Amino acid sequence: MSAILSTNPQLRPMRHEDLDEIMVVELSAYPYPWTEGIFRDCMRVGYSCWVMTEAQRLVGYGVMSMAVGECHVLNLCVRPECQGRGYGRILLRGLLDHARRHKVETAFLEVRPSNTPAVQLYYSEGFNEVGLRKRYYPADNGREDALVLARDITG
């Protein structure tokens, strides 16, 4: 964490009325963002969808699927102007705590190798590389591989 948070960020379930603000953040944070329809589908099928707010402002969100003792972090995003302040770590820990309460034992995620801050966050939180998905992500020059990371969250 490069700065101390001034107030206590709160996690709460994502609501449909959050989607306009989520899309503002998503479009500003990623060159290949999710669509609003993807977020709607995730909520519709019952994925674990959360937003992080601080002082009534949406600063981040996460989407995670859970099944048969495993969870998969599908999207973890912090508003670009709020990155580097520890929000991503708090959000990731919140998602994993939620998964743990649902008896999940192992967490998985994919990350672009070029996303150095995210890779560093995940490694510092105990994730390890367990695979590589070739040409998984769209990229300016074709496709980019994805690191597949996993972590035991029982302890």
Side-chain angles (χ1 to χ4, degrees), residues 55-103:
Q56 307 300 317
R57 179 179 184 222
L58 188 142
V59 293
Y61 49 87
V63 177
M64 175 178 66
S65 64
M66 294 186 290
V68 194
E70 297 179 355
C71 71
H72 195 130
V73 177
L74 302 169
N75 191 328
L76 183 85
C77 184
V78 171
R79 186 180 289 275
E81 64 270 23
C82 296
Q83 291 175 5
R85 298 186 205 168
Y87 291 111
R89 185 175 309 278
I90 293 167
L91 184 54
L92 177 63
R93 287 178 179 176
L95 291 176
L96 298 180
D97 286 345
H98 178 73
R100 199 175 291 111
R101 287 191 300 273
H102 284 82
K103 309 298 185 215

Side-chain angles (χ1 to χ4, degrees), residues 31-139:
Y32 302 94
W34 278 16
T35 65
E36 185 174 325
I38 293 171
F39 285 102
R40 286 187 185 284
D41 286 346
C42 288
M43 286 190 285
R44 181 181 51 78
V45 300
Y47 285 176
S48 186
C49 303
W50 295 84
V51 296
M52 176 187 289
T53 60
E54 184 178 51
Q56 307 300 317
R57 179 179 184 222
L58 188 142
V59 293
Y61 49 87
V63 177
M64 175 178 66
S65 64
M66 294 186 290
V68 194
E70 297 179 355
C71 71
H72 195 130
V73 177
L74 302 169
N75 191 328
L76 183 85
C77 184
V78 171
R79 186 180 289 275
E81 64 270 23
C82 296
Q83 291 175 5
R85 298 186 205 168
Y87 291 111
R89 185 175 309 278
I90 293 167
L91 184 54
L92 177 63
R93 287 178 179 176
L95 291 176
L96 298 180
D97 286 345
H98 178 73
R100 199 175 291 111
R101 287 191 300 273
H102 284 82
K103 309 298 185 215
V104 167
E105 298 172 357
T106 307
F108 292 92
L109 57 83
E110 287 91 15
V111 63
R112 290 176 185 266
S114 63
N115 188 347
T116 304
V119 171
Q120 290 175 344
L121 168 66
Y122 299 138
Y123 284 151
S124 75
E125 287 295 313
F127 281 84
N128 295 294
E129 185 176 341
V130 296
L132 185 71
R133 295 190 195 277
K134 291 286 193 183
R135 301 176 46 79
Y136 184 76
Y137 289 112

